[in-house]
Amino acid sequence: MSEDSKELAHAGSFGMEVHFHDNHCKRSSFVKVLTGMIFDIANQLEAKGGMIGHVKLIAQTDAGFVKMSVVDIRLGVETVDELKGEAGEKGSIKLMAVVLGLEDGTVEETVGEALTHLGGCMDYHLAGHDCDHDH
Amino acid sequence: MIICLISGFLGSGKTTLMIDLGKRLGKKGKRVAIIVNEVGEVGVDGALIDAYGLNSVELTEGCICCSLSGSLQNTLRVIANDYKADIIFIEPTGIALPSKINGIIRTSMVEHESKLGICVVDAFRAPRIYQEAELFFRRQIEDVDLVAVNKMELVSPEQLAEVEELVGRLNPKAIVLKMSAKEDRGVEAIEVRLVDQMGGRA
């Protein structure tokens, strides 16, 4: 296979997984924080000249999961909320962004900056680090 | 066993459609396996599919139509031999080219009764995608049996007709169906087609 479809599409992408614990936000605030974060990422990527392919996340907690998706900022954030009861105290967030017309590094930087949204609700860290938390 | 390739541009609704079809066929007693592929190193779709209780294998950090073609062939062989699936759904990345995946399936030598290639098109974004990523839009539509024009709830009847006309022009041989995976409209027509291909055994 000589063609690389990502290069052919001039696409940049970045994916990451965050682990969180001590989430003190209620379900509505938790969803609002995630909504703000994913929309901020999409908005910033467009502002930097990219065309959103797909920005999506799944937050899995001890109370269920929330899936969010942005394909066009005019449509806002599409949410599937399958949490049972409250948001849950700990869990993980997997996030993936694919954008046409931007480099991987720009997408990574944009996603990294938007992570600060989470700070209002929880302690978090990137998956794969060494820590002594129970998660 | 049949193979169903669900392609389509990024964010067109492939995963939503596939989960819906997987759940429907599962309720009919079919053994459903899913191979899902993401561009990046973190699999969001695989986590979602698993959360709905469906059996999936996730291939990440590359595209199965190019850099991960060998992984796709190996995974197909393992599922065909070990899982005895009635249907294998393959969901490539949104920037994969179906013609290349068809070639990879062919050369995998995995026995299957038939194959259905579906391209999911986002009715709302189709004009922009056609303008800014024409190569992918065109090639993803050219090489399939069925085009599912999704997100019909987001556009007017006139806009929908324009997208249908564009799709029909790009692939005159394909069946074109209108649907809303989100609102569960039009999915049944695809389910019926898949069941028919499995020999109509409900």
Side-chain angles (χ1 to χ4, degrees), chain B residues 88-145:
Chain B
I88 301 178
F89 285 106
I90 302 173
E91 183 197 347
T93 72
I95 48 175
L97 301 170
S99 64
K100 294 169 81 174
I101 299 172
N102 288 337
I104 293 161
I105 294 169
R106 237 186 341 264
T107 55
S108 72
M109 308 296 279
V110 168
E111 273 189 48
H112 54 282
E113 290 156 29
S114 64
K115 188 177 75 58
L116 182 69
I118 299 173
C119 178
V120 184
V121 170
D122 177 341
F124 182 81
R125 293 207 303 162
R128 187 177 178 197
I129 294 167
Y130 184 52
Q131 191 180 357
E132 299 200 24
E134 187 198 339
L135 173 82
F136 285 90
F137 190 84
R138 189 167 40 77
R139 286 180 67 178
Q140 287 179 338
I141 289 170
E142 275 174 358
D143 297 306
V144 296
D145 309 299

Side-chain angles (χ1 to χ4, degrees), chain A residues 6-25:
Chain A
K6 193 177 164 191
E7 281 179 19
L8 209 57
H10 307 292
S13 67
F14 180 66
M16 48 137 238
E17 181 173 355
V18 164
H19 290 165
F20 66 88
H21 53 91
D22 296 334
N23 172 42
H24 55 79
C25 280

Side-chain angles (χ1 to χ4, degrees), chain B residues 138-158:
Chain B
R138 189 167 40 77
R139 286 180 67 178
Q140 287 179 338
I141 289 170
E142 275 174 358
D143 297 306
V144 296
D145 309 299
L146 189 156
V147 180
V149 180
N150 190 24
K151 307 191 188 184
M152 60 186 282
E153 78 279 7
L154 296 177
V155 296
S156 67
E158 293 76 22

